[in-house]
């Protein structure tokens, strides 16, 4: 029997691949930085959750009992990650003249809708920041004497009191420090707020009493408190976008060191247990050259915009998986279209297996090596581009037992989450929201055209084709995928 490869993951803290060695044997405890729910997430934000979901699915595939936590930040995050500007939630509530609680509810639900559309599995816990404020105050009280100091604006963490502050950021530290708010009285530029005191004469919609005055917790404090409460310290893996590697995650690590009594007199950060997580993992940026990624641009690139242009959201998931999570990924409509085409091909190849009962195991000699290669790919730091090519090979395999092929594809699908056995073919048709013709009318015209072609009435067939084209419907005669029609973007 071939031994399954061990799972190796890239640790941003050590900048090297490391075998996954869980804190608790047989378990995997993962924390992912979630959204600040002041606006809709853009597709670059959602890449982080496709990555975290792929990690979680891989851990499940490898046999670990997964506990995954994703937080919802509904308080404390300022308009700049480096402790500058206004509270994002308070600012949006003022702009929209709504309760901050209503703002949080609306955008949390919008985020959850995107999670569902991208076939991202539900975590064990959605941790809501405002549910943990009492624990945040207790956490801050327990580290305040040794690691914090008070200013008129609140309680600040002294980064010189922990070993190797900023090691996670490394080369990015200088850039990170340039984004930090130069608060008067701070001892060091990188020091950050643990508790923000409400300025005299002001009232926030979200504020609580504390030993440092009425106010709200700092953004960085939230994740340390919630990960510790729900997963314990240390836990296995902390994920987030690469932008968190500069400021947010180094600040989390400093807090985690402080709560564990790990200070500058006790050595270096080589012991990952004191950083809170054993592995810190970060996905790279989604690059957008259209300039529509920024939420300040108005109609920014959110998942709903892709759907409105006619693309199924799983085409975006496919696009993400076609690049390694640590590589930059460029968004373009052409790239998204290519991902949609690949997903269509896979769906067609999987169609004959839909009604087949999966075998208990993959034992056929032609199939076993494919499962081994797939396992090797995802065990190599989640190498989804290679895993997808192995899935392509599995779907193309001929003259193998259908029930074993179903079991093989099912196992791969469980990791990649592309919906190959649940998606309907019609769902992948390109159909922009702004199209002036509905699908019922298209179907009726297509049926008439098929009848005309069957009767060899090619003049009528051509006339119906022109009528469809005038309505923005491209009839795809000869399409190797047999998709029959699609709606033009400009329809």
């Amino acid at each position: 029997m071939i031994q399954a490869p061990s799972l190796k993951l890239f640790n941003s803290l050590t900048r090297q691949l490391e075998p996954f060695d869980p804190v608790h044997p047989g378990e995997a405890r993962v924390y992912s930085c979630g959204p600040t729910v002041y606006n809709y997430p853009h597709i670059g934000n959602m890449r982080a959750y496709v990555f975290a979901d792929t990690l979680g699915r891989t851990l499940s595939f490898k046999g670990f009992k997964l506990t995954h936590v994703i937080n919802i930040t509904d308080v404390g995050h300022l308009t700049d990650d480096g402790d500058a500007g206004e509270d994002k939630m308070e600012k949006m509530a003022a702009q929209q003249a709504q309760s901050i609680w209503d703002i949080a509810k609306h955008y949390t639900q919008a985020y959850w809708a995107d999670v569902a559309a991208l076939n991202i599995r539900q975590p064990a816990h959605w941790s809501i920041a405002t549910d943990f404020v009492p624990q945040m105050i207790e956490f801050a009280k327990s580290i305040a004497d040794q690691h914090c100091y008070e200013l008129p604006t609140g309680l600040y963490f002294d980064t010189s009191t922990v070993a190797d502050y900023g090691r996670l950021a490394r080369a990015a530290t200088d850039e990170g420090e340039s984004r930090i708010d130069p608060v008067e009285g701070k001892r060091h530029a990188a020091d950050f707020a643990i508790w923000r005191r409400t300025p005299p004469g002001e009232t926030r919609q979200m504020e609580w009493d504390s030993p440092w005055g009425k106010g709200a917790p700092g953004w960085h404090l939230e994740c340390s408190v919630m990960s510790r409460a729900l997963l314990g310290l240390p836990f296995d893996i902390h994920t987030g976008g690469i932008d968190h590697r500069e400021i947010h995650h180094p600040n989390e690590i400093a807090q985690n060191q402080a709560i564990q009594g790990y200070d500058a007199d006790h050595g270096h950060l080589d012991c990952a247990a004191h950083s809170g997580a054993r592995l810190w993992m970060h996905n790279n940026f989604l690059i957008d050259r259209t300039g529509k990624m920024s939420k300040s641009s108005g109609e920014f690139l959110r998942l709903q915009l892709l759907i409105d242009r006619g693309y199924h959201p799983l085409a975006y998931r496919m696009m993400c998986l076609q690049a390694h999570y640590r590589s930059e990924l460029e968004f373009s409509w052409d790239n998204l279209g290519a991902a949609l085409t690949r997903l269509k091909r896979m769906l067609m190849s999987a169609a004959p297996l839909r009604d087949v009962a999966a075998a208990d195991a993959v034992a056929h000699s032609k199939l076993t090596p494919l499962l081994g290669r797939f396992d090797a790919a995802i065990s190599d730091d989640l190498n989804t581009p290679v895993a997808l090519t192995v899935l392509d090979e599995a779907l193309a395999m001929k003259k193998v037992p259908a029930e074993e092929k179903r079991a093989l594809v099912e196992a791969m699908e469980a990791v990649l989450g592309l919906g190959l056995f649940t998606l309907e073919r019609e769902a992948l048709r390109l159909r922009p929201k702004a199209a002036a013709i509905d699908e019922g009318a298209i179907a009726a015209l297509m049926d008439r055209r098929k009848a005309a072609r069957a009767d060899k009435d090619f003049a009528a067939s051509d006339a119906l084709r022109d009528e469809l084209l005038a309505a923005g419907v491209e009839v795809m005669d000869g399409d190797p995928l047999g998709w029959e029609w699609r709606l033009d973007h400009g329809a």
Side-chain angles (χ1 to χ4, degrees):
M1 181 175 178
I2 300 174
Q3 185 174 0
S6 63
L7 177 61
K8 293 184 178 180
L9 301 169
F10 187 83
N11 188 354
S12 296
L13 190 61
T14 60
R15 297 298 200 272
Q16 63 185 13
L17 282 175
E18 297 180 7
F20 178 66
D21 181 20
V23 175
H24 303 88
E27 293 188 41
R29 301 185 184 186
V30 180
Y31 184 91
S32 297
C33 278
T36 301
V37 285
Y38 74 104
N39 205 335
Y40 299 106
H42 59 55
I43 58 173
N45 300 140
M46 296 309 298
R47 185 187 186 192
Y49 307 112
V50 173
F51 150 61
D53 182 56
T54 305
L55 171 64
R57 287 169 175 270
T58 297
L59 289 164
S60 296
F61 176 87
K62 300 295 287 184
F64 296 99
K65 178 186 175 183
L66 175 67
T67 303
H68 190 187
V69 175
I70 305 177
N71 75 287
I72 300 292
T73 295
D74 56 354
V75 65
H77 191 175
L78 301 193
T79 49
D80 187 283
D81 292 353
D83 278 0
E86 305 169 72
D87 185 298
K88 289 184 176 183
M89 299 295 300
E90 297 274 357
K91 182 178 180 180
M92 182 58 77
Q95 286 179 352
Q96 297 194 11
Q98 293 184 37
S99 155
I100 197 169
W101 303 98
D102 289 338
I103 292 289
K105 180 179 179 181
H106 175 78
Y107 290 116
T108 297
Q109 291 176 341
Y111 164 69
W112 283 342
D114 285 356
V115 164
L118 288 169
N119 200 22
I120 292 169
R121 299 192 306 181
Q122 290 289 309
H125 303 281
W126 292 108
S127 59
I128 312 297
T130 48
D131 291 344
F132 287 80
V133 173
Q135 292 97 314
M136 293 178 203
I137 293 172
E138 290 304 312
F139 187 110
K141 285 166 63 177
S142 68
I143 66 171
D145 288 347
Q146 282 191 295
H147 297 279
C148 303
Y149 58 93
E150 206 169 342
L151 293 176
T153 51
L155 184 70
Y156 284 80
F157 191 99
D158 185 337
T159 54
S160 71
T161 64
V162 293
D164 286 353
Y165 172 78
R167 176 178 174 182
L168 180 69
R170 291 195 183 175
T173 301
D174 291 341
E175 180 183 346
E177 289 190 359
S178 71
R179 295 164 50 202
I180 296 173
D181 184 19
V183 174
E184 184 176 352
K186 283 208 302 188
R187 295 174 183 172
H188 314 95
D191 292 354
F192 57 92
I194 292 285
W195 188 263
R196 300 181 182 284
R197 183 178 293 130
T198 301
E202 291 186 16
T203 301
R204 291 174 174 162
Q205 290 193 47
M206 286 185 175
E207 58 181 8
W208 294 262
D209 290 321
S210 82
W212 317 283
K214 191 179 291 290
W219 173 42
H220 315 297
L221 180 61
E222 299 172 8
C223 288
S224 286
V225 170
M226 291 187 287
S227 60
R228 179 174 178 246
L230 295 170
L231 298 174
L233 293 181
F235 57 95
D236 296 303
I237 304 172
H238 195 310
T239 77
I242 199 171
D243 51 319
H244 290 337
R245 198 179 65 187
E246 298 175 24
I247 298 174
H248 181 45
H249 287 172
N251 290 352
E252 272 192 68
I253 288 173
Q255 293 165 158
N256 295 341
Q257 289 173 273
I259 200 68
Q260 296 175 97
Y262 189 72
D263 58 37
D265 296 328
H266 289 83
H268 298 289
L269 200 51
D270 295 325
C271 178
H274 290 97
S275 72
R278 283 193 172 176
L279 290 99
W280 292 77
M281 298 181 67
H282 298 89
N283 64 281
N284 213 324
F285 291 114
L286 181 73
I287 305 300
D288 164 46
R289 306 197 188 281
T290 69
K292 287 191 176 182
M293 189 70 75
S294 171
K295 294 178 184 179
S296 62
S297 67
E299 188 191 41
F300 57 88
L301 279 172
R302 51 179 291 226
L303 193 64
Q304 187 59 49
L305 180 61
L306 273 54
I307 295 169
D308 290 347
R309 289 284 297 266
Y311 293 92
H312 194 282
L314 289 183
Y316 177 66
R317 184 180 180 104
M318 171 67 87
M319 194 179 91
C320 290
L321 296 176
Q322 288 184 148
H324 192 272
Y325 77 91
R326 285 195 288 119
S327 301
E328 287 187 348
L329 172 61
E330 181 169 354
F331 174 81
S332 72
W333 295 105
D334 285 344
N335 288 348
L336 185 63
L340 177 64
T341 297
R342 188 175 190 182
L343 183 56
K344 287 178 178 179
R345 290 185 185 277
M346 285 187 174
L347 193 66
M348 289 191 66
S349 297
L353 303 174
R354 283 206 170 199
D355 298 325
V356 174
D360 292 335
V362 178
H364 194 276
S365 60
K366 290 185 178 179
L367 296 178
T368 305
L370 286 178
L371 185 59
R373 286 171 51 206
F374 181 86
D375 192 353
I378 62 166
S379 296
D380 181 19
D381 196 28
L382 314 181
N383 195 334
T384 53
V386 172
L388 283 168
T389 63
V390 180
L391 174 57
D392 280 329
E393 289 183 44
L395 288 168
M397 187 71 72
K398 307 294 185 184
K399 298 181 180 179
V400 293
E403 59 276 9
E404 289 194 18
K405 185 175 179 180
R406 164 77 192 221
L408 176 65
V409 175
E410 207 171 79
M412 297 177 181
E413 161 66 15
V415 174
L416 300 171
L418 293 168
L420 299 183
F421 296 122
T422 55
L423 272 177
E424 296 298 330
R425 164 177 163 156
E426 292 77 12
L428 294 186
R429 282 186 170 138
L430 195 63
R431 43 184 178 183
K433 181 181 178 180
I437 184 171
D438 63 33
E439 290 190 30
I442 295 173
L445 288 169
M446 288 294 293
D447 286 345
R448 288 172 54 194
R449 186 167 183 269
K450 285 179 182 177
R453 287 166 67 86
D455 292 340
K456 300 189 183 303
D457 187 350
F458 298 113
S461 171
D462 290 345
L464 288 163
R465 181 188 181 95
D466 291 343
E467 184 177 346
L468 285 160
L469 189 60
V473 182
E474 180 184 355
V475 179
M476 301 170 70
D477 290 337
D479 173 23
L481 297 182
W483 234 253
E484 298 177 351
W485 61 265
R486 69 180 178 187
L487 283 163
D488 184 81
H489 285 269

